[in-house]
Structure formats: structure tokens, C-alpha cells
Amino acid sequence: MPINISRIMSWTFRDLRPYLRGMALATRTGRRPSITRTLWDSSVGKKTVMAVSGLIMLAYLVVHMLGNLKVFFGPEELNAYGHWLRHMGEPFLHSHWGLWAARIVLIVSVVAHAVSAYQLSRRDLKARPVAYAHKRRRAGYATRTMRWGGIIVGLFIVWHILDLTTLTVNERAWEGHPYQNLLATFSTWYGNTIYIVAMAAVALHVRHGFWSAAQTLGAGNARRDKTLKFLAHALALVLFAGFVSVPVGVMTGVVS
Amino acid sequence: MKLTLRVWRQQNADAPGAMVTYEVDGVSKDMSFLEMLDTLNEDLILRGEEPVAFDHDCREGICGACSLVINGDAHGPERTTTCQLHMRSFTDGDTIDVEPWRAAAFPVVKDLVVDRSAFDRIIQAGGYITAPTGSAPEAHATAVPKADADHAFEHAECIGCGACVAACPNGSAMLFTSAKVNHLNVLPQGAPERETRVLDMVATMDDEGFGGCTLTGECATACPKGIPLPSIAAMNREWLRAVRKGPRRP
Ligand code: HEM
Ligand code: SF4
Ligand code: FES
């Protein structure tokens, strides 16, 4: 049997390691906190929370966009789809339970995403307190659009829920009839403007966000970079086109 | 060449600083940027003024001591270190802004000199291997696949200059830290500390007040040694793996 010297050496030195460490360096390995603590306390871990919650919301957006396209097949189809959403999982689940389960996942995601975005942004701004006298526009473009875009999307989510879920600000507010309510929203200039601006913000956010999440979760590498960037652009474009087709459909009279 | 320089002058860490304008004449295109600053300093000394303090050592692009943000770019317009930047990259009559690295973790010591010891503390947290030192080991004792050796070597090139931090809008040290984590974690020699290294180095990086990564990519553009942006994703992968597995204890 061949003798593997390095193997023996590495075993020997593995046994010596605590002593070497104790002598030379104070490492932080002694008291290791829980996984949750480690994640939340680290900038890399908090970014992971942001990436996972972002991807959950992204998956939801794709499904939501596909569902919205039913508007082009008439009021019965969209309203029936809305009805099904409320009764998802029946008869096993009580009515609305399936819907609420989805809502809870989304609420947790939005809160986790926004809180980590806020805390990380605070940390980032503090880490660079003095700006350069010589200004360059390039630096931080993506970061700034992500922060402002994120805030716009956040405000939109609030408005959107008040408009089409609780119907608080909807002019028609006909419960159980999403098709008619949606028509009401997109018959107003502000309804269209808010919606289209927000969708542009979502698209920009997804464009940097999807690729970023891949890096944060360690899925990015030089070989995959082009594919990931392409996917990010494609997702952004498809989401934008899909969502915006609805108000455009109403404005052009295709949906009425 | 005749140039106008606007240089950050600051007496010490606590004093307020400001950009001060100087004219420099008789600059040759073959001078390095640092030699041009030497010319300015000779002038200042002759005039009885205090010379501009700036960091430098090897002046051949290998030590990482030189710094300077030149016209908003870390190490100036070429992808190299300031000591290897030549005045032919500028034209006669140019106005050039010269500033120190800006980051909370790199406080200004004087003029263009900043304290980069936060990097040393990141290295102390895990940028080492617990292998026997002494005489060189037999080269064939531990076989390393060519691809891994190349990966390690590419990342070993980091000279710890801090340009990545200076260029990052968040003052983040992710590229620097990822260079060392990639370098050592891929090698069998670095394997015993694979998990503790990345956990401890990232935690120290956070403690030192560096910002987080928003994948802006400014760091990799500024890096004179070409440490690539995907190295950060690779470090994230190592970090998540280490969190999942927990640090291996001896
Ligand atoms: C509550 C509103 C939101 C805010 C305040 C917000 C804010 C942010 C910020 C500041 C970032 C970090 C950008 C960077 O690292 O440069 C980010 C990343 C991200 N966001 Fe959002 N965002 C919001 C909503 C959304 C939504 C609705 C989605 C779903 C598509 C989403 C998906 C993502 C993804 C996938 C990332 C990448 C995570 C990473 O960098 O690893 N965000 N968000
Ligand atoms: S990663 Fe590049 S820019 Fe950053 S310290 Fe190392 S050599 Fe300098
Ligand atoms: S002085 Fe050594 S790298 Fe520039």
C-alpha cells in the first residue's frame, strides 16, 4: 500500500490546530450562534434573505401575470378564475384558506425583503460617508435604481391592494367581479399611469434582481453569466409585456 | 506637460480637509503618476510648504501600497496600479483630481494616505493555512488539479490595495475577501479551515464597517489585478455551504 505522506501530515496537524490557533490567533470559532442568527447578523446572510424572498415574489409575479391574461377571454373566464382563487384547495381546505396561505407567504416575503433591503442600505450608506469630489455617473446606477425602484414597487403594492383587493379606492368596487373592477381602474388616467410606471419599476427591479439573486445564492459563475443575464432580461420583458397588455387592452378597446 | 492638480489635503485624521489646487510644470509623458507627484512635492519643499503625503512602496505594481482616486477612478484611467500609471494617459493642460480612498473602514491618516489595517484584520481572521512552515514540502506530495491551481493563482494575485473598496458605492470589501477565500478554499492545503475561514473573514469584514455587496461591479472594473466579479458569487456559495454544514471543529 502506498504511503500518503500528506495525508498523515494533515492528520497530525489537524490535531495540533487548536494549539496553533490558541497561540497565534484568536479565532471566532469558539461560540458559534444558531443558523438563523448567523444569517440575519451577516451582510451576506441578510442578502440571502433578500434573494430568497425576492425569488418567491418573482415566482408569484409570473403566475399572477399569466392569470391576468384571462382578461382577454372575457368577464366570465376572469371572474371564474377569481372565484377559483378564493376556493383554492376546497373541499379539503375551508374557503379562502388556500388564498390566505398564499397571502401569508407573500406578506412574510415582502416584509423580510423590505426590512433586509432597508437595513443593508443603511449599512451601505454608512460605509461610504464621504463622497468623491470628482463625480462619475456610472457608480452605483444599479444600486440606486434598485432602492428607488423598490420603494416605488412597495408603494404600488399598497395602492394595488386598496384598489383591487379591498376595493377601497376603486370607483366601481363590485365585490367578486374583478373584471369589472379592473375595467374601472384602467378607465382612469391615473389608474393607467400608476400601473404602467409601477410595472416599469418592477421590470427594472427584476432585471438586476434576478441576476443578483443568482450571485447571492452562489449560482453565478463566469460560464453561466450570459445565460443568467439573458434570463433576467427575458423575465423582465415578459413580465412587463404581460402586465402592461391589460391596461393597454382596456385603453385600445380590445378589453371592454 | 503642464498640469493642474486638485489634491485632497488633510493635516490629520481629525482635521477637516479640502481640495487644494496646484500647478505642476515639466511633467514628462514617461513619468509614472507617483513620479509626477514627487515633482510636485520637490516644488512644495522648495517653496517651504508641506509635501503631499501619499502611500507607495515597490513602485512596480506588486505590493499594493499605492492608492489614489484619480478623476474619480481608483488607480486612475488605466487598469493598473497608480505606480504603473504613466503620464502619457493624460494630455498637456489637463486638470486632474486626486483624492484618497473613501470608505468608513479606511479612515484618512493624512492627505492621500488612508489606514487600511482593516484588511489586515480580515486576513488575520482566516487568510492563512495551518500547515507546517519550514522547509518547502515535496512538490508532488499533494496533487492539485490544474484547473484548481489556476483558480487559486488567479485569486492569489490580489495585492490588497483596496481599490475595490474605494470604487464600490457601498465601500464593500467583498471582492478583496473573496479573492483570499477563493484562493485558499480551492486548495487541499486550505481545506482544514474551509468553513471557518469564510465564516470568520466575512464576519470580520462586517465588523470592520465595510458595506454589503449590491453587485454593482465597480470593484472588478477597478481591480488592477483583474479579480473577477463572479468570485463574489463563489464566496457566497462557500459561505452558505459553511453555514449549512457548520464549522468543522478540530
Ligand atoms: C417592498 C418593495 C421592495 C423593495 C423596497 C425592494 C428593494 C430591494 C433592494 C434595495 C434590493 C437590493 C438591490 C441591490 O442589491 O442592489 C432588492 C433586490 C431584489 N428584489 Fe426587491 N424590493 C421590493 C420588491 C420586490 C418585488 C415585488 C420583487 C419580485 C419580483 C423583488 C425581487 C428582488 C430580487 C429577486 C432581488 C435580488 C436579491 C439579491 O440581490 O440577491 N423585490 N430589492
Ligand atoms: S481585489 Fe483587486 S482591487 Fe481589491 S484589494 Fe485585491 S487587488 Fe486590490
Ligand atoms: S507602489 Fe507597490 S503596487 Fe504601487
Side-chain angles (χ1 to χ4, degrees), chain A residues 31-49 52, chain B residues 195 199 238-247 249:
Chain A
R31 307 144 269 120
R32 196 60 79 174
S34 70
I35 288 189
T36 342
R37 260 264 83 84
T38 311
L39 279 172
W40 193 249
D41 284 350
S42 161
S43 65
V44 174
K46 211 166 270 177
K47 186 95 184 182
T48 311
V49 172
V52 171
Chain B
E195 292 82 15
L199 292 172
E238 284 295 313
W239 190 88
L240 289 169
R241 178 184 169 279
V243 170
R244 230 173 26 244
K245 293 183 61 141
R249 280 167 208 282

PDB file of all heavy atoms in Angstrom, chain A residues 31-49 52, chain B residues 195 199 238-247 249:
ATOM      1  N   ARG A  31     -17.611  30.382  20.001  1.00  0.00           N
ATOM      2  CA  ARG A  31     -19.046  30.414  20.242  1.00  0.00           C
ATOM      3  C   ARG A  31     -19.737  30.667  18.919  1.00  0.00           C
ATOM      4  O   ARG A  31     -19.757  31.770  18.416  1.00  0.00           O
ATOM      5  CB  ARG A  31     -19.393  31.544  21.217  1.00  0.00           C
ATOM      6  CG  ARG A  31     -18.618  31.505  22.491  1.00  0.00           C
ATOM      7  CD  ARG A  31     -18.291  32.907  23.004  1.00  0.00           C
ATOM      8  NE  ARG A  31     -17.011  33.378  22.487  1.00  0.00           N
ATOM      9  CZ  ARG A  31     -16.836  34.456  21.755  1.00  0.00           C
ATOM     10  NH1 ARG A  31     -17.858  35.190  21.433  1.00  0.00           N
ATOM     11  NH2 ARG A  31     -15.639  34.810  21.341  1.00  0.00           N
ATOM     12  N   ARG A  32     -20.286  29.627  18.345  1.00  0.00           N
ATOM     13  CA  ARG A  32     -20.938  29.797  17.055  1.00  0.00           C
ATOM     14  C   ARG A  32     -22.437  29.935  17.278  1.00  0.00           C
ATOM     15  O   ARG A  32     -23.062  29.053  17.867  1.00  0.00           O
ATOM     16  CB  ARG A  32     -20.595  28.576  16.201  1.00  0.00           C
ATOM     17  CG  ARG A  32     -20.835  28.705  14.728  1.00  0.00           C
ATOM     18  CD  ARG A  32     -20.081  29.791  14.029  1.00  0.00           C
ATOM     19  NE  ARG A  32     -18.695  29.486  13.718  1.00  0.00           N
ATOM     20  CZ  ARG A  32     -17.920  30.301  13.000  1.00  0.00           C
ATOM     21  NH1 ARG A  32     -18.386  31.447  12.542  1.00  0.00           N
ATOM     22  NH2 ARG A  32     -16.675  29.993  12.757  1.00  0.00           N
ATOM     23  N   PRO A  33     -23.065  31.032  16.866  1.00  0.00           N
ATOM     24  CA  PRO A  33     -24.505  31.192  17.076  1.00  0.00           C
ATOM     25  C   PRO A  33     -25.330  30.316  16.139  1.00  0.00           C
ATOM     26  O   PRO A  33     -24.785  29.662  15.265  1.00  0.00           O
ATOM     27  CB  PRO A  33     -24.732  32.673  16.779  1.00  0.00           C
ATOM     28  CG  PRO A  33     -23.608  33.069  15.896  1.00  0.00           C
ATOM     29  CD  PRO A  33     -22.454  32.167  16.205  1.00  0.00           C
ATOM     30  N   SER A  34     -26.652  30.318  16.332  1.00  0.00           N
ATOM     31  CA  SER A  34     -27.552  29.493  15.523  1.00  0.00           C
ATOM     32  C   SER A  34     -27.523  29.944  14.059  1.00  0.00           C
ATOM     33  O   SER A  34     -27.075  31.037  13.751  1.00  0.00           O
ATOM     34  CB  SER A  34     -28.975  29.627  16.049  1.00  0.00           C
ATOM     35  OG  SER A  34     -29.444  30.929  15.761  1.00  0.00           O
ATOM     36  N   ILE A  35     -28.029  29.073  13.192  1.00  0.00           N
ATOM     37  CA  ILE A  35     -28.019  29.379  11.753  1.00  0.00           C
ATOM     38  C   ILE A  35     -28.829  30.631  11.451  1.00  0.00           C
ATOM     39  O   ILE A  35     -28.409  31.499  10.690  1.00  0.00           O
ATOM     40  CB  ILE A  35     -28.545  28.169  10.943  1.00  0.00           C
ATOM     41  CG1 ILE A  35     -27.490  27.050  10.972  1.00  0.00           C
ATOM     42  CG2 ILE A  35     -28.863  28.559   9.509  1.00  0.00           C
ATOM     43  CD1 ILE A  35     -27.769  25.893  10.062  1.00  0.00           C
ATOM     44  N   THR A  36     -30.002  30.750  12.087  1.00  0.00           N
ATOM     45  CA  THR A  36     -30.843  31.924  11.850  1.00  0.00           C
ATOM     46  C   THR A  36     -30.103  33.199  12.245  1.00  0.00           C
ATOM     47  O   THR A  36     -30.100  34.185  11.518  1.00  0.00           O
ATOM     48  CB  THR A  36     -32.146  31.844  12.676  1.00  0.00           C
ATOM     49  OG1 THR A  36     -32.338  30.506  13.077  1.00  0.00           O
ATOM     50  CG2 THR A  36     -33.306  32.361  11.901  1.00  0.00           C
ATOM     51  N   ARG A  37     -29.474  33.173  13.423  1.00  0.00           N
ATOM     52  CA  ARG A  37     -28.713  34.331  13.889  1.00  0.00           C
ATOM     53  C   ARG A  37     -27.596  34.658  12.910  1.00  0.00           C
ATOM     54  O   ARG A  37     -27.396  35.807  12.525  1.00  0.00           O
ATOM     55  CB  ARG A  37     -28.082  34.053  15.256  1.00  0.00           C
ATOM     56  CG  ARG A  37     -28.807  34.626  16.452  1.00  0.00           C
ATOM     57  CD  ARG A  37     -28.262  35.967  16.930  1.00  0.00           C
ATOM     58  NE  ARG A  37     -28.792  37.121  16.178  1.00  0.00           N
ATOM     59  CZ  ARG A  37     -29.952  37.720  16.437  1.00  0.00           C
ATOM     60  NH1 ARG A  37     -30.740  37.310  17.399  1.00  0.00           N
ATOM     61  NH2 ARG A  37     -30.338  38.752  15.734  1.00  0.00           N
ATOM     62  N   THR A  38     -26.860  33.611  12.512  1.00  0.00           N
ATOM     63  CA  THR A  38     -25.743  33.826  11.594  1.00  0.00           C
ATOM     64  C   THR A  38     -26.238  34.494  10.320  1.00  0.00           C
ATOM     65  O   THR A  38     -25.648  35.444   9.825  1.00  0.00           O
ATOM     66  CB  THR A  38     -25.069  32.484  11.242  1.00  0.00           C
ATOM     67  OG1 THR A  38     -24.822  31.780  12.450  1.00  0.00           O
ATOM     68  CG2 THR A  38     -23.776  32.685  10.489  1.00  0.00           C
ATOM     69  N   LEU A  39     -27.361  34.004   9.779  1.00  0.00           N
ATOM     70  CA  LEU A  39     -27.905  34.564   8.545  1.00  0.00           C
ATOM     71  C   LEU A  39     -28.291  36.024   8.731  1.00  0.00           C
ATOM     72  O   LEU A  39     -27.905  36.892   7.966  1.00  0.00           O
ATOM     73  CB  LEU A  39     -29.137  33.768   8.097  1.00  0.00           C
ATOM     74  CG  LEU A  39     -28.892  32.465   7.340  1.00  0.00           C
ATOM     75  CD1 LEU A  39     -30.197  31.725   7.145  1.00  0.00           C
ATOM     76  CD2 LEU A  39     -28.241  32.730   5.985  1.00  0.00           C
ATOM     77  N   TRP A  40     -29.045  36.296   9.790  1.00  0.00           N
ATOM     78  CA  TRP A  40     -29.601  37.640   9.949  1.00  0.00           C
ATOM     79  C   TRP A  40     -28.532  38.656  10.347  1.00  0.00           C
ATOM     80  O   TRP A  40     -28.622  39.834  10.025  1.00  0.00           O
ATOM     81  CB  TRP A  40     -30.745  37.611  10.966  1.00  0.00           C
ATOM     82  CG  TRP A  40     -31.552  38.875  10.937  1.00  0.00           C
ATOM     83  CD1 TRP A  40     -31.604  39.827  11.913  1.00  0.00           C
ATOM     84  CD2 TRP A  40     -32.381  39.357   9.863  1.00  0.00           C
ATOM     85  NE1 TRP A  40     -32.429  40.850  11.516  1.00  0.00           N
ATOM     86  CE2 TRP A  40     -32.908  40.588  10.274  1.00  0.00           C
ATOM     87  CE3 TRP A  40     -32.718  38.843   8.611  1.00  0.00           C
ATOM     88  CZ2 TRP A  40     -33.768  41.340   9.454  1.00  0.00           C
ATOM     89  CZ3 TRP A  40     -33.573  39.589   7.802  1.00  0.00           C
ATOM     90  CH2 TRP A  40     -34.082  40.815   8.225  1.00  0.00           C
ATOM     91  N   ASP A  41     -27.497  38.204  11.064  1.00  0.00           N
ATOM     92  CA  ASP A  41     -26.472  39.131  11.532  1.00  0.00           C
ATOM     93  C   ASP A  41     -25.403  39.442  10.496  1.00  0.00           C
ATOM     94  O   ASP A  41     -24.604  40.347  10.681  1.00  0.00           O
ATOM     95  CB  ASP A  41     -25.778  38.570  12.787  1.00  0.00           C
ATOM     96  CG  ASP A  41     -26.655  38.712  14.009  1.00  0.00           C
ATOM     97  OD1 ASP A  41     -27.684  39.410  13.899  1.00  0.00           O
ATOM     98  OD2 ASP A  41     -26.324  38.129  15.058  1.00  0.00           O
ATOM     99  N   SER A  42     -25.387  38.668   9.415  1.00  0.00           N
ATOM    100  CA  SER A  42     -24.323  38.858   8.435  1.00  0.00           C
ATOM    101  C   SER A  42     -24.856  39.592   7.211  1.00  0.00           C
ATOM    102  O   SER A  42     -25.995  39.383   6.802  1.00  0.00           O
ATOM    103  CB  SER A  42     -23.790  37.487   8.026  1.00  0.00           C
ATOM    104  OG  SER A  42     -23.106  37.582   6.802  1.00  0.00           O
ATOM    105  N   SER A  43     -24.034  40.446   6.623  1.00  0.00           N
ATOM    106  CA  SER A  43     -24.476  41.140   5.412  1.00  0.00           C
ATOM    107  C   SER A  43     -24.723  40.128   4.292  1.00  0.00           C
ATOM    108  O   SER A  43     -25.652  40.281   3.499  1.00  0.00           O
ATOM    109  CB  SER A  43     -23.452  42.189   4.983  1.00  0.00           C
ATOM    110  OG  SER A  43     -22.240  41.577   4.604  1.00  0.00           O
ATOM    111  N   VAL A  44     -23.911  39.076   4.251  1.00  0.00           N
ATOM    112  CA  VAL A  44     -24.100  38.065   3.213  1.00  0.00           C
ATOM    113  C   VAL A  44     -25.390  37.274   3.476  1.00  0.00           C
ATOM    114  O   VAL A  44     -26.166  36.987   2.566  1.00  0.00           O
ATOM    115  CB  VAL A  44     -22.876  37.114   3.145  1.00  0.00           C
ATOM    116  CG1 VAL A  44     -23.126  35.971   2.175  1.00  0.00           C
ATOM    117  CG2 VAL A  44     -21.632  37.885   2.726  1.00  0.00           C
ATOM    118  N   GLY A  45     -25.661  36.974   4.749  1.00  0.00           N
ATOM    119  CA  GLY A  45     -26.860  36.218   5.104  1.00  0.00           C
ATOM    120  C   GLY A  45     -28.125  37.024   4.867  1.00  0.00           C
ATOM    121  O   GLY A  45     -29.126  36.508   4.355  1.00  0.00           O
ATOM    122  N   LYS A  46     -28.078  38.317   5.223  1.00  0.00           N
ATOM    123  CA  LYS A  46     -29.271  39.137   5.037  1.00  0.00           C
ATOM    124  C   LYS A  46     -29.587  39.285   3.563  1.00  0.00           C
ATOM    125  O   LYS A  46     -30.739  39.333   3.149  1.00  0.00           O
ATOM    126  CB  LYS A  46     -29.048  40.509   5.685  1.00  0.00           C
ATOM    127  CG  LYS A  46     -30.311  41.110   6.211  1.00  0.00           C
ATOM    128  CD  LYS A  46     -30.050  42.279   7.137  1.00  0.00           C
ATOM    129  CE  LYS A  46     -29.908  41.838   8.567  1.00  0.00           C
ATOM    130  NZ  LYS A  46     -29.597  42.928   9.481  1.00  0.00           N
ATOM    131  N   LYS A  47     -28.529  39.329   2.783  1.00  0.00           N
ATOM    132  CA  LYS A  47     -28.702  39.394   1.333  1.00  0.00           C
ATOM    133  C   LYS A  47     -29.342  38.099   0.818  1.00  0.00           C
ATOM    134  O   LYS A  47     -30.101  38.106  -0.147  1.00  0.00           O
ATOM    135  CB  LYS A  47     -27.326  39.624   0.706  1.00  0.00           C
ATOM    136  CG  LYS A  47     -27.343  39.859  -0.748  1.00  0.00           C
ATOM    137  CD  LYS A  47     -27.359  41.312  -1.101  1.00  0.00           C
ATOM    138  CE  LYS A  47     -27.470  41.414  -2.616  1.00  0.00           C
ATOM    139  NZ  LYS A  47     -27.463  42.728  -3.126  1.00  0.00           N
ATOM    140  N   THR A  48     -29.045  36.995   1.490  1.00  0.00           N
ATOM    141  CA  THR A  48     -29.672  35.718   1.126  1.00  0.00           C
ATOM    142  C   THR A  48     -31.172  35.772   1.387  1.00  0.00           C
ATOM    143  O   THR A  48     -31.975  35.320   0.578  1.00  0.00           O
ATOM    144  CB  THR A  48     -29.059  34.564   1.952  1.00  0.00           C
ATOM    145  OG1 THR A  48     -27.650  34.660   1.872  1.00  0.00           O
ATOM    146  CG2 THR A  48     -29.510  33.227   1.438  1.00  0.00           C
ATOM    147  N   VAL A  49     -31.533  36.353   2.535  1.00  0.00           N
ATOM    148  CA  VAL A  49     -32.956  36.523   2.855  1.00  0.00           C
ATOM    149  C   VAL A  49     -33.621  37.348   1.755  1.00  0.00           C
ATOM    150  O   VAL A  49     -34.719  37.029   1.275  1.00  0.00           O
ATOM    151  CB  VAL A  49     -33.116  37.226   4.227  1.00  0.00           C
ATOM    152  CG1 VAL A  49     -34.571  37.589   4.485  1.00  0.00           C
ATOM    153  CG2 VAL A  49     -32.566  36.344   5.341  1.00  0.00           C
ATOM    154  N   VAL A  52     -33.934  35.173  -1.496  1.00  0.00           N
ATOM    155  CA  VAL A  52     -34.969  34.124  -1.438  1.00  0.00           C
ATOM    156  C   VAL A  52     -36.362  34.754  -1.453  1.00  0.00           C
ATOM    157  O   VAL A  52     -37.238  34.349  -2.234  1.00  0.00           O
ATOM    158  CB  VAL A  52     -34.768  33.222  -0.201  1.00  0.00           C
ATOM    159  CG1 VAL A  52     -35.945  32.281  -0.021  1.00  0.00           C
ATOM    160  CG2 VAL A  52     -33.471  32.433  -0.326  1.00  0.00           C
TER     161      VAL A  52
ATOM    162  N   GLU B 195     -14.403  26.005   6.152  1.00  0.00           N
ATOM    163  CA  GLU B 195     -15.630  26.623   6.655  1.00  0.00           C
ATOM    164  C   GLU B 195     -15.322  27.803   7.579  1.00  0.00           C
ATOM    165  O   GLU B 195     -15.897  28.877   7.425  1.00  0.00           O
ATOM    166  CB  GLU B 195     -16.493  25.602   7.404  1.00  0.00           C
ATOM    167  CG  GLU B 195     -17.090  24.526   6.505  1.00  0.00           C
ATOM    168  CD  GLU B 195     -16.121  23.393   6.214  1.00  0.00           C
ATOM    169  OE1 GLU B 195     -15.094  23.289   6.937  1.00  0.00           O
ATOM    170  OE2 GLU B 195     -16.354  22.625   5.262  1.00  0.00           O
ATOM    171  N   LEU B 199     -16.442  31.930   7.130  1.00  0.00           N
ATOM    172  CA  LEU B 199     -17.334  32.494   8.152  1.00  0.00           C
ATOM    173  C   LEU B 199     -16.630  33.614   8.916  1.00  0.00           C
ATOM    174  O   LEU B 199     -17.181  34.700   9.123  1.00  0.00           O
ATOM    175  CB  LEU B 199     -17.782  31.403   9.124  1.00  0.00           C
ATOM    176  CG  LEU B 199     -18.716  30.328   8.550  1.00  0.00           C
ATOM    177  CD1 LEU B 199     -18.919  29.205   9.556  1.00  0.00           C
ATOM    178  CD2 LEU B 199     -20.057  30.940   8.155  1.00  0.00           C
ATOM    179  N   GLU B 238     -19.529  29.483  -0.878  1.00  0.00           N
ATOM    180  CA  GLU B 238     -18.736  28.908   0.215  1.00  0.00           C
ATOM    181  C   GLU B 238     -19.350  29.271   1.572  1.00  0.00           C
ATOM    182  O   GLU B 238     -19.395  28.456   2.488  1.00  0.00           O
ATOM    183  CB  GLU B 238     -17.298  29.440   0.166  1.00  0.00           C
ATOM    184  CG  GLU B 238     -16.449  28.813  -0.919  1.00  0.00           C
ATOM    185  CD  GLU B 238     -16.209  27.319  -0.688  1.00  0.00           C
ATOM    186  OE1 GLU B 238     -15.869  26.939   0.444  1.00  0.00           O
ATOM    187  OE2 GLU B 238     -16.383  26.540  -1.639  1.00  0.00           O
ATOM    188  N   TRP B 239     -19.805  30.513   1.677  1.00  0.00           N
ATOM    189  CA  TRP B 239     -20.362  30.989   2.952  1.00  0.00           C
ATOM    190  C   TRP B 239     -21.638  30.220   3.294  1.00  0.00           C
ATOM    191  O   TRP B 239     -21.808  29.736   4.412  1.00  0.00           O
ATOM    192  CB  TRP B 239     -20.634  32.492   2.863  1.00  0.00           C
ATOM    193  CG  TRP B 239     -20.968  33.117   4.183  1.00  0.00           C
ATOM    194  CD1 TRP B 239     -20.078  33.622   5.103  1.00  0.00           C
ATOM    195  CD2 TRP B 239     -22.278  33.307   4.750  1.00  0.00           C
ATOM    196  NE1 TRP B 239     -20.750  34.093   6.196  1.00  0.00           N
ATOM    197  CE2 TRP B 239     -22.095  33.919   6.014  1.00  0.00           C
ATOM    198  CE3 TRP B 239     -23.573  33.022   4.322  1.00  0.00           C
ATOM    199  CZ2 TRP B 239     -23.166  34.253   6.836  1.00  0.00           C
ATOM    200  CZ3 TRP B 239     -24.634  33.349   5.153  1.00  0.00           C
ATOM    201  CH2 TRP B 239     -24.424  33.958   6.395  1.00  0.00           C
ATOM    202  N   LEU B 240     -22.530  30.088   2.289  1.00  0.00           N
ATOM    203  CA  LEU B 240     -23.784  29.372   2.546  1.00  0.00           C
ATOM    204  C   LEU B 240     -23.522  27.905   2.864  1.00  0.00           C
ATOM    205  O   LEU B 240     -24.173  27.320   3.726  1.00  0.00           O
ATOM    206  CB  LEU B 240     -24.713  29.495   1.328  1.00  0.00           C
ATOM    207  CG  LEU B 240     -25.310  30.894   1.132  1.00  0.00           C
ATOM    208  CD1 LEU B 240     -25.988  31.012  -0.227  1.00  0.00           C
ATOM    209  CD2 LEU B 240     -26.307  31.209   2.245  1.00  0.00           C
ATOM    210  N   ARG B 241     -22.532  27.336   2.192  1.00  0.00           N
ATOM    211  CA  ARG B 241     -22.168  25.948   2.452  1.00  0.00           C
ATOM    212  C   ARG B 241     -21.676  25.809   3.897  1.00  0.00           C
ATOM    213  O   ARG B 241     -22.065  24.879   4.616  1.00  0.00           O
ATOM    214  CB  ARG B 241     -21.071  25.537   1.474  1.00  0.00           C
ATOM    215  CG  ARG B 241     -20.558  24.130   1.656  1.00  0.00           C
ATOM    216  CD  ARG B 241     -19.400  23.854   0.690  1.00  0.00           C
ATOM    217  NE  ARG B 241     -18.749  22.605   1.033  1.00  0.00           N
ATOM    218  CZ  ARG B 241     -17.845  22.491   2.002  1.00  0.00           C
ATOM    219  NH1 ARG B 241     -17.491  23.530   2.718  1.00  0.00           N
ATOM    220  NH2 ARG B 241     -17.305  21.311   2.256  1.00  0.00           N
ATOM    221  N   ALA B 242     -20.854  26.756   4.320  1.00  0.00           N
ATOM    222  CA  ALA B 242     -20.298  26.690   5.671  1.00  0.00           C
ATOM    223  C   ALA B 242     -21.384  26.879   6.726  1.00  0.00           C
ATOM    224  O   ALA B 242     -21.367  26.227   7.774  1.00  0.00           O
ATOM    225  CB  ALA B 242     -19.211  27.748   5.837  1.00  0.00           C
ATOM    226  N   VAL B 243     -22.366  27.746   6.437  1.00  0.00           N
ATOM    227  CA  VAL B 243     -23.459  27.947   7.391  1.00  0.00           C
ATOM    228  C   VAL B 243     -24.284  26.670   7.512  1.00  0.00           C
ATOM    229  O   VAL B 243     -24.669  26.254   8.599  1.00  0.00           O
ATOM    230  CB  VAL B 243     -24.358  29.131   6.957  1.00  0.00           C
ATOM    231  CG1 VAL B 243     -25.629  29.191   7.787  1.00  0.00           C
ATOM    232  CG2 VAL B 243     -23.601  30.445   7.067  1.00  0.00           C
ATOM    233  N   ARG B 244     -24.525  26.046   6.353  1.00  0.00           N
ATOM    234  CA  ARG B 244     -25.314  24.817   6.327  1.00  0.00           C
ATOM    235  C   ARG B 244     -24.616  23.692   7.083  1.00  0.00           C
ATOM    236  O   ARG B 244     -25.210  23.010   7.909  1.00  0.00           O
ATOM    237  CB  ARG B 244     -25.517  24.399   4.874  1.00  0.00           C
ATOM    238  CG  ARG B 244     -26.941  24.091   4.523  1.00  0.00           C
ATOM    239  CD  ARG B 244     -27.168  23.845   3.037  1.00  0.00           C
ATOM    240  NE  ARG B 244     -26.045  23.379   2.278  1.00  0.00           N
ATOM    241  CZ  ARG B 244     -25.477  24.074   1.283  1.00  0.00           C
ATOM    242  NH1 ARG B 244     -25.926  25.275   0.990  1.00  0.00           N
ATOM    243  NH2 ARG B 244     -24.480  23.579   0.603  1.00  0.00           N
ATOM    244  N   LYS B 245     -23.344  23.518   6.800  1.00  0.00           N
ATOM    245  CA  LYS B 245     -22.611  22.395   7.390  1.00  0.00           C
ATOM    246  C   LYS B 245     -22.166  22.665   8.819  1.00  0.00           C
ATOM    247  O   LYS B 245     -21.898  21.738   9.567  1.00  0.00           O
ATOM    248  CB  LYS B 245     -21.356  22.106   6.555  1.00  0.00           C
ATOM    249  CG  LYS B 245     -21.677  21.575   5.182  1.00  0.00           C
ATOM    250  CD  LYS B 245     -20.403  21.250   4.452  1.00  0.00           C
ATOM    251  CE  LYS B 245     -19.615  20.181   5.179  1.00  0.00           C
ATOM    252  NZ  LYS B 245     -18.980  19.224   4.268  1.00  0.00           N
ATOM    253  N   GLY B 246     -22.056  23.928   9.154  1.00  0.00           N
ATOM    254  CA  GLY B 246     -21.477  24.279  10.440  1.00  0.00           C
ATOM    255  C   GLY B 246     -19.980  24.138  10.331  1.00  0.00           C
ATOM    256  O   GLY B 246     -19.479  23.353   9.536  1.00  0.00           O
ATOM    257  N   PRO B 247     -19.250  24.930  11.094  1.00  0.00           N
ATOM    258  CA  PRO B 247     -17.797  24.861  11.007  1.00  0.00           C
ATOM    259  C   PRO B 247     -17.307  23.510  11.512  1.00  0.00           C
ATOM    260  O   PRO B 247     -17.832  22.991  12.492  1.00  0.00           O
ATOM    261  CB  PRO B 247     -17.327  25.991  11.911  1.00  0.00           C
ATOM    262  CG  PRO B 247     -18.456  26.236  12.837  1.00  0.00           C
ATOM    263  CD  PRO B 247     -19.705  25.872  12.122  1.00  0.00           C
ATOM    264  N   ARG B 249     -15.061  21.344  13.547  1.00  0.00           N
ATOM    265  CA  ARG B 249     -14.207  21.606  14.696  1.00  0.00           C
ATOM    266  C   ARG B 249     -13.090  20.571  14.763  1.00  0.00           C
ATOM    267  O   ARG B 249     -13.299  19.428  14.410  1.00  0.00           O
ATOM    268  CB  ARG B 249     -15.026  21.554  15.977  1.00  0.00           C
ATOM    269  CG  ARG B 249     -15.796  22.836  16.206  1.00  0.00           C
ATOM    270  CD  ARG B 249     -16.820  22.646  17.290  1.00  0.00           C
ATOM    271  NE  ARG B 249     -17.946  23.539  17.082  1.00  0.00           N
ATOM    272  CZ  ARG B 249     -17.936  24.820  17.370  1.00  0.00           C
ATOM    273  NH1 ARG B 249     -16.855  25.371  17.876  1.00  0.00           N
ATOM    274  NH2 ARG B 249     -18.982  25.571  17.163  1.00  0.00           N
TER     275      ARG B 249
END
